[in-house]
Amino acid sequence: MIYRTDYHIHSTYSDGRSGPEEYIAPAIEAGLSEIGFSEHLNLFSDQDGSVMAPEDMPVYLKNIETIRKSTTLIKVKTGLEVDFFKGKEKETGEYLENLDLDYVIGSVHYMGEKTVDNGPEFYEGKSIDRLFESYIDTVCAAVASGLFDIIGHCDLIRIYGFKPSGDPEPHYRRLARTMKQHNVAFEVNTNGRNRPLADFYPDRKYLGIFHEENIPVCVNSDAHMPSRVGQYFDEAYELLRYVGFTEMAVFDKRVRRMVPF
Ligand SMILES: [Zn+2]
Ligand SMILES: [Zn+2]
């Protein structure tokens, strides 16, 4: 069996539609070797009620541990998808270091007070060139913070299909080099296919850059419902193989190892 993992799953602890136990059978069905939960955690701002309440953390961790112990056909891992805010690195780190996690996904959803993925209105009247550059700057700061094992949907700013006027290649190169320098993995996030973008993150045109810079990769569904676990994974792995990737990152207790796929 080919080794596959899906580390980016949202259950009812944040904004997913089903409890974590309901994702296990579909994950086995999808041929996955590991499934990992990654509830939204935002310590500083919650505009739309989609994040896990910090007081739910102990029961979340315990619930996933119970599922892990009672599941034999697939490995169950505990993670979080944590919102990154520049200037809040210290507080974020202090919170995370006390948690028993297999990995932490760091994501940039916020630019200033607003989220970039809650409607195209955010983009109205703004320079896409400047937004794109500024978004990648923030993702680079997330990478350099040392807080995260994996960066989530690293070019989420593409979600509504707005494109910078120039060639964004230097931005992807800068991002990949920062990942290299700080030893952070990225994900191919297949959920972009379900959004207005209708394609994966990051832009497949620039995946070769991540391979050239030798950045560890995961394939993740970002599923918010059980039917989307492992969605489009055949295509995502085929794409990675085409680009030249031969192995992927697997995490245990925040230690990474590489596994061939
Ligand atoms: Zn996200
Ligand atoms: Zn997510």
PDB file of all heavy atoms in Angstrom, residues 89-102:
ATOM      1  N   GLU A  89       4.213  36.351  18.230  1.00  0.00           N
ATOM      2  CA  GLU A  89       4.949  35.092  18.194  1.00  0.00           C
ATOM      3  C   GLU A  89       5.197  34.538  19.594  1.00  0.00           C
ATOM      4  O   GLU A  89       5.071  33.335  19.827  1.00  0.00           O
ATOM      5  CB  GLU A  89       6.302  35.271  17.471  1.00  0.00           C
ATOM      6  CG  GLU A  89       6.202  35.552  15.976  1.00  0.00           C
ATOM      7  CD  GLU A  89       6.001  37.026  15.643  1.00  0.00           C
ATOM      8  OE1 GLU A  89       5.701  37.829  16.551  1.00  0.00           O
ATOM      9  OE2 GLU A  89       6.141  37.371  14.450  1.00  0.00           O
ATOM     10  N   LYS A  90       5.577  35.423  20.521  1.00  0.00           N
ATOM     11  CA  LYS A  90       5.955  34.969  21.859  1.00  0.00           C
ATOM     12  C   LYS A  90       4.765  34.313  22.568  1.00  0.00           C
ATOM     13  O   LYS A  90       4.874  33.190  23.064  1.00  0.00           O
ATOM     14  CB  LYS A  90       6.492  36.158  22.664  1.00  0.00           C
ATOM     15  CG  LYS A  90       7.100  35.782  23.985  1.00  0.00           C
ATOM     16  CD  LYS A  90       7.944  36.942  24.542  1.00  0.00           C
ATOM     17  CE  LYS A  90       8.455  36.616  25.932  1.00  0.00           C
ATOM     18  NZ  LYS A  90       7.420  36.825  26.967  1.00  0.00           N
ATOM     19  N   GLU A  91       3.629  35.007  22.575  1.00  0.00           N
ATOM     20  CA  GLU A  91       2.430  34.472  23.235  1.00  0.00           C
ATOM     21  C   GLU A  91       1.992  33.160  22.585  1.00  0.00           C
ATOM     22  O   GLU A  91       1.594  32.211  23.269  1.00  0.00           O
ATOM     23  CB  GLU A  91       1.262  35.463  23.159  1.00  0.00           C
ATOM     24  CG  GLU A  91       1.459  36.749  23.926  1.00  0.00           C
ATOM     25  CD  GLU A  91       2.000  37.869  23.047  1.00  0.00           C
ATOM     26  OE1 GLU A  91       2.950  37.617  22.264  1.00  0.00           O
ATOM     27  OE2 GLU A  91       1.480  38.985  23.140  1.00  0.00           O
ATOM     28  N   THR A  92       2.059  33.120  21.248  1.00  0.00           N
ATOM     29  CA  THR A  92       1.656  31.913  20.533  1.00  0.00           C
ATOM     30  C   THR A  92       2.559  30.739  20.926  1.00  0.00           C
ATOM     31  O   THR A  92       2.085  29.650  21.218  1.00  0.00           O
ATOM     32  CB  THR A  92       1.714  32.146  19.003  1.00  0.00           C
ATOM     33  OG1 THR A  92       0.962  33.325  18.696  1.00  0.00           O
ATOM     34  CG2 THR A  92       1.139  30.975  18.239  1.00  0.00           C
ATOM     35  N   GLY A  93       3.863  31.005  20.953  1.00  0.00           N
ATOM     36  CA  GLY A  93       4.830  29.967  21.310  1.00  0.00           C
ATOM     37  C   GLY A  93       4.625  29.455  22.725  1.00  0.00           C
ATOM     38  O   GLY A  93       4.693  28.248  22.982  1.00  0.00           O
ATOM     39  N   GLU A  94       4.372  30.373  23.640  1.00  0.00           N
ATOM     40  CA  GLU A  94       4.181  29.970  25.033  1.00  0.00           C
ATOM     41  C   GLU A  94       2.936  29.107  25.190  1.00  0.00           C
ATOM     42  O   GLU A  94       2.915  28.162  25.972  1.00  0.00           O
ATOM     43  CB  GLU A  94       4.077  31.218  25.934  1.00  0.00           C
ATOM     44  CG  GLU A  94       5.449  31.826  26.188  1.00  0.00           C
ATOM     45  CD  GLU A  94       5.391  33.221  26.804  1.00  0.00           C
ATOM     46  OE1 GLU A  94       4.286  33.746  27.048  1.00  0.00           O
ATOM     47  OE2 GLU A  94       6.481  33.782  27.010  1.00  0.00           O
ATOM     48  N   TYR A  95       1.906  29.413  24.421  1.00  0.00           N
ATOM     49  CA  TYR A  95       0.685  28.603  24.471  1.00  0.00           C
ATOM     50  C   TYR A  95       0.948  27.203  23.896  1.00  0.00           C
ATOM     51  O   TYR A  95       0.579  26.190  24.491  1.00  0.00           O
ATOM     52  CB  TYR A  95      -0.446  29.289  23.702  1.00  0.00           C
ATOM     53  CG  TYR A  95      -1.741  28.522  23.800  1.00  0.00           C
ATOM     54  CD1 TYR A  95      -2.588  28.696  24.885  1.00  0.00           C
ATOM     55  CD2 TYR A  95      -2.110  27.600  22.817  1.00  0.00           C
ATOM     56  CE1 TYR A  95      -3.772  27.977  24.996  1.00  0.00           C
ATOM     57  CE2 TYR A  95      -3.284  26.880  22.922  1.00  0.00           C
ATOM     58  CZ  TYR A  95      -4.116  27.073  24.011  1.00  0.00           C
ATOM     59  OH  TYR A  95      -5.277  26.350  24.118  1.00  0.00           O
ATOM     60  N   LEU A  96       1.616  27.162  22.733  1.00  0.00           N
ATOM     61  CA  LEU A  96       1.794  25.884  22.031  1.00  0.00           C
ATOM     62  C   LEU A  96       2.755  24.935  22.746  1.00  0.00           C
ATOM     63  O   LEU A  96       2.598  23.718  22.672  1.00  0.00           O
ATOM     64  CB  LEU A  96       2.283  26.129  20.597  1.00  0.00           C
ATOM     65  CG  LEU A  96       1.282  26.803  19.656  1.00  0.00           C
ATOM     66  CD1 LEU A  96       1.938  27.097  18.314  1.00  0.00           C
ATOM     67  CD2 LEU A  96       0.043  25.924  19.457  1.00  0.00           C
ATOM     68  N   GLU A  97       3.745  25.501  23.441  1.00  0.00           N
ATOM     69  CA  GLU A  97       4.782  24.611  23.997  1.00  0.00           C
ATOM     70  C   GLU A  97       4.240  23.708  25.106  1.00  0.00           C
ATOM     71  O   GLU A  97       4.838  22.691  25.424  1.00  0.00           O
ATOM     72  CB  GLU A  97       6.008  25.405  24.455  1.00  0.00           C
ATOM     73  CG  GLU A  97       5.811  26.158  25.742  1.00  0.00           C
ATOM     74  CD  GLU A  97       7.039  26.989  26.115  1.00  0.00           C
ATOM     75  OE1 GLU A  97       7.971  27.087  25.305  1.00  0.00           O
ATOM     76  OE2 GLU A  97       7.035  27.533  27.231  1.00  0.00           O
ATOM     77  N   ASN A  98       3.090  24.045  25.653  1.00  0.00           N
ATOM     78  CA  ASN A  98       2.514  23.216  26.712  1.00  0.00           C
ATOM     79  C   ASN A  98       1.584  22.120  26.195  1.00  0.00           C
ATOM     80  O   ASN A  98       1.029  21.366  26.978  1.00  0.00           O
ATOM     81  CB  ASN A  98       1.731  24.094  27.694  1.00  0.00           C
ATOM     82  CG  ASN A  98       2.648  25.075  28.390  1.00  0.00           C
ATOM     83  OD1 ASN A  98       3.721  24.699  28.842  1.00  0.00           O
ATOM     84  ND2 ASN A  98       2.254  26.334  28.431  1.00  0.00           N
ATOM     85  N   LEU A  99       1.409  22.062  24.873  1.00  0.00           N
ATOM     86  CA  LEU A  99       0.447  21.108  24.318  1.00  0.00           C
ATOM     87  C   LEU A  99       1.160  19.880  23.758  1.00  0.00           C
ATOM     88  O   LEU A  99       2.245  19.997  23.185  1.00  0.00           O
ATOM     89  CB  LEU A  99      -0.376  21.765  23.208  1.00  0.00           C
ATOM     90  CG  LEU A  99      -1.155  23.032  23.597  1.00  0.00           C
ATOM     91  CD1 LEU A  99      -1.854  23.601  22.372  1.00  0.00           C
ATOM     92  CD2 LEU A  99      -2.157  22.739  24.708  1.00  0.00           C
ATOM     93  N   ASP A 100       0.512  18.731  23.902  1.00  0.00           N
ATOM     94  CA  ASP A 100       1.073  17.475  23.405  1.00  0.00           C
ATOM     95  C   ASP A 100       0.528  17.239  21.989  1.00  0.00           C
ATOM     96  O   ASP A 100      -0.539  16.659  21.817  1.00  0.00           O
ATOM     97  CB  ASP A 100       0.656  16.351  24.365  1.00  0.00           C
ATOM     98  CG  ASP A 100       1.314  15.043  24.005  1.00  0.00           C
ATOM     99  OD1 ASP A 100       2.290  15.050  23.217  1.00  0.00           O
ATOM    100  OD2 ASP A 100       0.845  13.999  24.499  1.00  0.00           O
ATOM    101  N   LEU A 101       1.276  17.716  20.995  1.00  0.00           N
ATOM    102  CA  LEU A 101       0.792  17.671  19.611  1.00  0.00           C
ATOM    103  C   LEU A 101       1.766  16.916  18.719  1.00  0.00           C
ATOM    104  O   LEU A 101       2.963  16.856  18.998  1.00  0.00           O
ATOM    105  CB  LEU A 101       0.653  19.101  19.069  1.00  0.00           C
ATOM    106  CG  LEU A 101      -0.331  20.015  19.813  1.00  0.00           C
ATOM    107  CD1 LEU A 101      -0.140  21.462  19.377  1.00  0.00           C
ATOM    108  CD2 LEU A 101      -1.778  19.572  19.583  1.00  0.00           C
ATOM    109  N   ASP A 102       1.250  16.356  17.632  1.00  0.00           N
ATOM    110  CA  ASP A 102       2.129  15.713  16.642  1.00  0.00           C
ATOM    111  C   ASP A 102       2.683  16.712  15.630  1.00  0.00           C
ATOM    112  O   ASP A 102       3.760  16.493  15.071  1.00  0.00           O
ATOM    113  CB  ASP A 102       1.367  14.591  15.932  1.00  0.00           C
ATOM    114  CG  ASP A 102       1.141  13.408  16.871  1.00  0.00           C
ATOM    115  OD1 ASP A 102       2.139  12.908  17.424  1.00  0.00           O
ATOM    116  OD2 ASP A 102      -0.023  13.019  17.071  1.00  0.00           O
TER     117      ASP A 102
END
